[in-house]
């Protein structure tokens, strides 16, 4: 009863620039950001506060406020674009989620998430990504794991031998236009990837000291950039923040560049976001690799997402029966078929056989993180064998690549 009284005294409203300090203070409290961590990320006094200003200008931020206009709970939606199987979708990136502990357990965040989903739907952001502080929590809200993060360590003796390539590598600042342009070409042909504009690049470097990072760009024989490394060398270790390449030639050229540091380093440590381990590509495959879930995704509006989704081939009519714990418009029947021109139609009248699943499973399946047959085997999806084969045929293959953080 006491908690209900407190909640009744609160109100939801947008978090404007007026509340920049409160927004920042709540983030620092919830995520336990220390002054030391800020210093290591290259921030000086006041810089973090200024760096958050574009977020309140560019993003949709909502919060619960007390009668004294104190911000006690908040959620932020970044307006993003992502590549989903070679089609660009608007995406709502959820971040900045937090509530002061004395206001926990009142359903404040539950209400903010419902509001966020409504706002994303209205903004035609039919898919949402987030980095989870608790996978079970966000699963209960309809998100599911969509990508993995692999870390690897190579001893200096395990670095691939130099391979002759026709191009060359140049060291450049991480903000060089050839770095950004190469990433953009990569993202537009890579499933799951975020399209990075200035705002997204700013977020990419938010918690890293970009002044201490270097880019190594591979140029082919025609001087066209085809890949890059973002890296730094510290205490005899070559650290790879990200490796992007558009050709296998570029991959080999970038590893040649790493190999050129052989006399300077004892090990190479890096990150992979494709879901595919590095070991198979190396002569010495007995390396240390660690895999863990990374980002989560959820479909915001099933009907609209299905209409835009790039299914492969013609679709024999069938229907999804979906349950969604947060977005009531996603509960029900969604029949899918294609006409003679290959246009996808989605209706709420049942057609063909049923595919029963929740929004989490539908999101993981259409994002390509898990295949339909696997989801059926573990009883996350229920349908007949013929329709299951159809799903395998029409859903594009390939796990998402997502290397960003917000």
């Amino acid at each position: 009863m006491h908690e209900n009284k407190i909640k009744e005294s609160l109100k939801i409203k947008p978090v404007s620039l007026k509340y920049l300090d409160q927004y920042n203070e709540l983030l620092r409290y919830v995520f336990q950001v220390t002054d030391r961590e800020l210093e290591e990320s290259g921030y000086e006094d006041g810089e973090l506060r200024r760096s958050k200003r574009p977020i309140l200008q560019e993003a949709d931020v909502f919060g619960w406020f007390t009668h004294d206009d104190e911000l006690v709970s908040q959620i932020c939606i970044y307006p993003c674009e992502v590549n989903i199987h070679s089609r660009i979708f608007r995406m709502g990136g959820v971040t900045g989620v937090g509530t002061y502990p004395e206001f926990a357990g009142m359903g404040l965040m539950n209400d903010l998430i419902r509001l966020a989903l409504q706002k994303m739907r209205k903004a035609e952001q039919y898919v949402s990504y987030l980095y989870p502080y608790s996978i079970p929590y966000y699963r209960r809200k309809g998100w599911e794991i969509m990508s993995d993060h692999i870390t690897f360590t190579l001893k200096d003796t395990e670095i691939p031998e130099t391979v002759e390539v026709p191009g060359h590598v140049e060291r450049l600042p991480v903000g060089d236009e050839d770095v950004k342009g190469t990433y953009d070409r990569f993202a537009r042909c890579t499933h799951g990837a975020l399209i990075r504009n200035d705002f997204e690049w700013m977020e990419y470097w938010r918690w890293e000291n970009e002044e201490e990072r270097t880019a190594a760009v591979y140029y082919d024989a025609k001087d066209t950039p085809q890949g890059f490394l973002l890296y730094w060398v510290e205490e005899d270790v070559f650290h790879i923040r990200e490796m992007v390449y558009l050709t296998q030639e570029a991959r080999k050229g970038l590893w040649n560049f790493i190999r050129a540091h052989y006399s300077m380093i004892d090990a190479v440590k890096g990150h992979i976001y494709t879901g595919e381990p590095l070991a198979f590509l190396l002569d010495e495959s007995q390396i240390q690799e660690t895999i863990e879930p990374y980002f989560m995704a959820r479909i915001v509006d099933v009907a609209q997402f299905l209409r835009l989704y790039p299914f492969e081939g013609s679709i024999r009519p069938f229907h999804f029966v979906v349950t969604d714990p947060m977005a009531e418009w996603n509960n029900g029947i969604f029949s899918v078929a294609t006409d003679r021109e290959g246009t996808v139609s989605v209706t709420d009248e049942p057609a063909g056989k049923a595919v029963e699943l929740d929004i989490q499973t539908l999101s993981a399946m259409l994002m390509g993180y898990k295949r339909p047959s696997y989801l059926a085997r573990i009883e996350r999806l229920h349908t007949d064998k013929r329709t299951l084969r159809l799903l395998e045929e029409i859903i594009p293959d390939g796990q998402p690549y997502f290397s960003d953080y917000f």
Side-chain angles (χ1 to χ4, degrees), residues 177-220:
E177 287 306 312
D178 277 354
V179 174
K180 293 181 177 180
T182 303
Y183 175 82
D184 190 65
R185 289 163 56 211
F186 170 82
R188 293 182 185 279
C189 66
T190 302
H191 169 53
L194 180 72
I195 306 300
R196 291 183 198 150
N197 298 307
D198 289 344
F199 180 75
E200 286 77 17
W201 275 108
M202 180 187 71
E203 282 302 297
Y204 182 86
W205 292 114
R206 180 172 299 283
W207 298 111
E208 290 194 48
N209 191 345
E210 63 185 296
E211 299 298 323
E212 296 180 1
R213 308 296 184 247
T214 304
V217 179
Y218 179 82
Y219 294 86
D220 64 17

Side-chain angles (χ1 to χ4, degrees), residues 22 121 144 146 172 211 275 343 402:
Q22 290 196 50
R121 186 188 188 203
E144 186 51 273
M146 63 152 256
L172 297 169
E211 299 298 323
T343 303
F402 195 79

Side-chain angles (χ1 to χ4, degrees), residues 9 78 84 116 122 136 187 239 241-242 271 278 333 339 345 388:
S9 70
Y78 284 176
I84 297 181
K122 186 176 180 180
H239 296 269
R241 169 64 175 85
E242 183 172 22
H271 306 270
L278 175 67
I333 291 171
D339 59 23
S345 65
L388 186 60

